[in-house]
Amino acid sequence: MKKVIYPGTFDPITNGHIDIIQRASRIFDDVTIAIAESPIKNPLFSSSERRTLVESTLRQLKINAKVTVFDSLLVEYVRQQKASVIIRGLRAVSDFEFEFQMALMNRKLDENIETVFLMPRDTYSYLSSSIIKQIARLGGGVKAFVPAHVETALRTKFFPKLPTKARVLK
Ligand code: ADP
């Protein structure tokens, strides 16, 4: 049984992440989404909020995967979880250089851990959590790019004074 870890900040989870999770769970028996605390990235959502958003997404879409939060060196975490494969998403050539460097560095740190790249549907290749946050911060609708409960969470974060009903965009 191949256990794989899909690490990331997931601040917040988008349809692009979901596409990768679905692809990974079709290939591997045991998929764990590992949410990095990433304090250096100054996330909008706390790690427990990000975890809740991912868990609700998995429940709604009936995807069989686990969710954890970690705050250590990724290869160490992967070893600790008794996994040997890291999943990363590759959106465009712009992702390549950074991901390539990370994959080779992780291999240097542990020869037994392999990084596998999955490509999302082309329509998600321009999607990132940061662009979603930029749109939502300015009051734009992001319904086409994230699950409804994530859009509501974004509105609650950016516009806490809005009445609850108005946080759900039509
Ligand atoms: P990180 O801080 O580790 O980059 P992210 O949440 O931004 O965390 O991304 C986690 C992983 O998901 C990365 O491999 C990234 O390339 C991938 N990813 C992010 N958005 C998309 C998307 N729209 N389509 C496919 N993969 C994506």
Side-chain angles (χ1 to χ4, degrees):
M1 184 136 131
K2 267 277 171 256
K3 181 166 183 178
V4 302
I5 304 283
Y6 177 30
T9 310
F10 300 98
D11 185 42
I13 185 166
T14 69
N15 291 347
H17 292 124
I18 296 170
D19 181 291
I20 298 297
I21 296 167
Q22 285 173 321
R23 280 171 210 283
S25 62
R26 284 200 292 268
I27 305 172
F28 300 99
D29 313 303
D30 190 343
V31 179
T32 296
I33 297 145
I35 300 175
E37 289 273 3
S38 297
I40 209 161
K41 289 200 169 178
N42 200 12
L44 173 68
F45 293 98
S46 70
S47 54
S48 72
E49 288 171 328
R50 284 178 273 147
R51 181 188 191 139
T52 304
L53 292 175
V54 174
E55 281 171 345
S56 311
T57 305
L58 297 179
R59 216 175 307 119
Q60 280 170 20
L61 298 174
K62 298 189 170 46
I63 301 173
N64 184 22
K66 299 184 193 82
V67 190
T68 57
V69 173
F70 76 107
D71 191 18
S72 55
L73 191 62
L74 178 59
V75 291
E76 237 164 56
Y77 185 72
V78 171
R79 272 197 302 260
Q80 186 196 318
Q81 292 288 309
K82 302 205 181 336
S84 55
V85 178
I86 295 170
I87 299 287
R88 292 289 287 178
L90 212 47
R91 282 165 288 194
V93 182
S94 50
D95 275 344
F96 182 77
E97 207 170 318
F98 174 74
E99 293 293 345
F100 185 65
Q101 186 184 20
M102 284 290 291
L104 291 187
M105 180 51 85
N106 284 332
R107 181 183 287 164
K108 208 67 194 160
L109 294 172
D110 191 329
E111 281 284 340
N112 300 314
I113 295 173
E114 211 57 69
T115 304
V116 171
F117 293 99
L118 296 174
M119 276 150 291
R121 255 169 77 169
D122 53 356
T123 42
Y124 297 143
S125 61
Y126 58 90
L127 245 189
S128 69
S129 300
S130 4
I131 205 158
I132 294 302
K133 283 181 281 187
Q134 281 176 42
I135 298 169
R137 189 187 299 275
L138 297 170
V142 290
K143 195 166 78 184
F145 315 116
V146 295
H149 64 282
V150 174
E151 180 169 43
T152 304
L154 283 161
R155 302 217 113 217
T156 308
K157 240 341 148 191
F158 290 127
F159 306 102
K161 294 204 176 100
L162 270 186
T164 312
K165 249 173 111 185
R167 291 187 200 138
V168 185
L169 284 190
K170 275 150 233 115

